[in-house]
């Protein structure tokens, strides 16, 4: 039975664009939003970033209650189904307000990188939604994340955090996609979309159930080309490198950063077809340089700890 506070927004088709930060989610979202039957916002709504926090709190308190630790919070008043219904009401209201700006639309689109981590919740509240996952070479993502941190204060500013964030988002979205199946989940490579946007946009629109004339697809691709429009605070300094395979990460990542990234997420880079074993050794002698790196790093850490201990004054308590 439909809740009296629910609007009819659940009857619309929902398309969620997900992916790791700096993977092209904003670019793809902008292109899809130009379809006359789609309504979306230029800015990110982050609806499920709010709802996830409430869901996590509810689950934590319910777990404590079920294990007999203590009883408190919303689980005292609501079942899981009732709490989910409350979250659904909030989401429907938010998207209802968005839909009101374009009531002729048949599809609602939303995107946020963190949605890659929230797909189980999203698909539970909108069980007919479709998910579009854009994947980009993690090495280029890392370069963009580090650059964005310096320029606009967003994201991970070092290689370990960037590698971890990229892998976490890609793995989470891919795992959810397996559960959804090909009818509701589609993966697209950022590099393929850059190389042949027209044919891929056609496939994406058809996946969403929104076919579009070829001349309109070509117009959208042309007007949103990186040469004509740069979105999501992109780094224009690397534009000259975009047409050269692997030039961005080879130029912008140091040997230590490449080696570190391979140790952390090299398996994922290889499984996605982005890298071969030993990819991080770009120049002759790179492998030899890094052969002793772990031992040298440990030595530096020990030296740093010793220096800190030596420079820290010893406080001797004085007896009263």
């Amino acid at each position: 039975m439909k809740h009296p506070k629910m609007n009819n927004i659940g009857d619309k088709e929902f398309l969620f664009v997900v992916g790791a930060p700096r993977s092209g989610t904003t670019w793809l979202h902008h292109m899809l939003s130009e379809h006359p039957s789609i309504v979306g916002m230029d800015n990110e709504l982050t609806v499920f970033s709010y709802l996830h926090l409430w869901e996590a709190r509810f689950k934590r308190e319910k777990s404590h209650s079920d294990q007999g630790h203590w009883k408190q919070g919303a689980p005292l008043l609501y079942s899981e189904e009732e709490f989910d219904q409350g979250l659904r009401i909030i989401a429907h209201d938010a998207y209802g307000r968005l839909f009101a700006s374009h009531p002729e639309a048949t599809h609602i689109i939303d995107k946020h990188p963190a949605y890659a981590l929230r797909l189980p919740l999203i698909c539970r509240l909108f069980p007919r939604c479709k998910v579009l996952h854009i994947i980009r070479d993690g090495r280029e993502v890392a370069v963009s994340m580090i650059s964005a941190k310096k320029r606009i204060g967003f994201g991970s500013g070092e290689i370990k955090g960037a590698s971890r964030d990229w892998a976490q988002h890609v793995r989470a979205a891919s795992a959810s996609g397996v559960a959804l199946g090909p009818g509701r989940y589609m993966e697209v490579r950022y590099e393929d979309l850059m190389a042949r946007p027209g044919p891929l946009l056609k496939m994406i629109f058809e996946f969403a159930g929104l076919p579009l004339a070829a001349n309109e697809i070509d117009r959208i691709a042309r007007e949103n080309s990186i040469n004509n429009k740069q979105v999501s605070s992109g780094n224009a300094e690397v534009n000259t490198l975009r047409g050269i395979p692997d030039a961005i990460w080879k130029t912008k990542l140091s040997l230590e950063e490449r080696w570190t990234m391979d140790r952390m997420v090299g398996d994922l880079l290889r499984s996605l077809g982005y890298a071969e074993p030993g990819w991080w050794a770009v120049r002759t002698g790179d492998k030899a340089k890094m052969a002793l790196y772990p031992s040298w790093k440990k030595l530096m850490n020990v030296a740093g700890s010793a220096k800190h201990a030596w420079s820290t004054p010893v406080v001797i308590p004085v007896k009263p």
Side-chain angles (χ1 to χ4, degrees):
M1 181 177 177
K2 186 175 178 180
H3 194 281
K5 292 185 179 180
M6 295 280 282
N7 54 31
N8 292 321
I9 209 69
D11 299 332
K12 302 298 178 183
E13 300 294 330
F14 279 79
L15 180 64
F16 292 97
V17 178
V18 305
R22 318 305 299 175
S23 292
T25 55
T26 299
W27 175 46
L28 179 54
H29 175 268
H30 280 198
M31 288 194 286
L32 298 181
S33 295
E34 292 198 27
H35 194 289
S37 296
I38 288 182
V39 60
M41 287 189 70
D42 289 338
N43 299 317
E44 296 169 332
L45 280 175
T46 71
V47 171
F48 290 93
S49 297
Y50 291 93
L51 300 186
H52 163 72
L53 295 176
W54 293 343
E55 179 198 36
R57 181 63 180 263
F58 182 89
K59 287 184 175 180
R60 185 166 61 251
E61 291 180 334
K62 187 176 186 304
S63 176
H64 287 307
S65 178
D66 291 345
Q67 296 177 51
H69 296 161
W70 58 77
K71 295 181 181 295
Q72 68 177 28
L76 297 176
L77 300 174
Y78 300 95
S79 67
E80 288 186 77
E81 294 76 14
E82 290 170 331
F83 192 78
D84 265 7
Q85 183 72 340
L87 298 182
R88 190 173 291 109
I89 290 170
I90 295 171
H92 278 228
D93 182 75
Y95 290 117
R97 294 169 185 242
L98 174 60
F99 176 71
S101 66
H102 184 18
E104 297 81 17
T106 59
H107 288 59
I108 296 173
I109 189 171
D110 192 15
K111 79 94 184 174
H112 190 268
Y115 286 178
L117 311 176
R118 315 289 178 240
L119 286 178
L121 173 62
I122 291 172
C123 296
R124 198 166 71 246
L125 300 187
F126 292 93
R128 296 191 301 113
C129 73
K130 292 186 177 182
V131 176
L132 185 60
H133 180 197
I134 183 167
I135 301 175
R136 184 182 184 185
D137 187 334
R139 298 166 297 186
E140 288 196 3
V141 169
V143 170
S144 186
M145 281 190 188
I146 294 169
S147 171
K149 182 67 173 181
K150 293 177 181 177
R151 292 180 293 108
I152 58 178
F154 166 80
S156 298
E158 41 78 34
I159 194 64
K160 289 184 177 180
S163 299
R164 182 172 56 250
D165 288 350
W166 173 74
Q168 181 186 27
H169 285 74
V170 170
R171 285 174 172 147
S174 297
S176 294
V178 170
L180 288 172
R184 292 181 55 202
Y185 174 83
M186 179 180 181
E187 289 183 355
V188 60
R189 296 295 179 97
Y190 172 91
E191 296 79 15
D192 293 340
L193 195 57
M194 287 282 289
R196 47 191 188 95
L200 279 183
L201 279 177
K202 180 177 183 295
M203 292 174 59
I204 292 169
F205 279 126
E206 290 175 349
F207 163 77
L210 287 167
L212 193 63
N215 62 321
E216 276 299 292
I217 292 176
D218 289 341
R219 178 192 63 78
I220 292 172
R222 182 175 61 256
E223 292 180 359
N224 288 276
S225 166
I226 193 70
N227 296 322
N228 297 324
K229 183 187 296 185
Q230 191 142 9
V231 298
S232 193
S233 303
N235 184 5
E237 292 180 2
V238 301
N239 283 351
T240 57
L241 302 175
R242 294 185 190 278
I244 307 172
D246 300 329
I248 292 177
W249 63 263
K250 283 183 178 179
T251 303
K252 298 297 183 179
L253 293 181
S254 67
L255 171 58
E256 180 181 341
E257 288 173 326
R258 299 194 303 271
W259 181 86
T260 299
M261 188 168 198
D262 183 64
R263 300 262 291 197
M264 293 184 66
V265 298
D267 59 334
L268 184 57
L269 285 169
R270 290 187 288 274
S271 69
L272 291 172
Y274 282 120
E276 297 291 335
W279 64 269
W280 55 271
V282 174
R283 299 172 182 83
T284 302
D286 279 355
K287 290 186 177 181
K289 289 179 182 177
M290 298 308 293
L292 298 176
Y293 179 78
S295 299
W296 176 83
K297 194 72 173 178
K298 288 180 180 178
L299 181 62
M300 291 298 99
N301 289 338
V302 170
S305 298
K307 181 179 179 181
H308 176 74
W310 181 261
S311 61
T312 302
V314 178
V315 179
I316 301 175
V318 178
K319 293 182 178 181

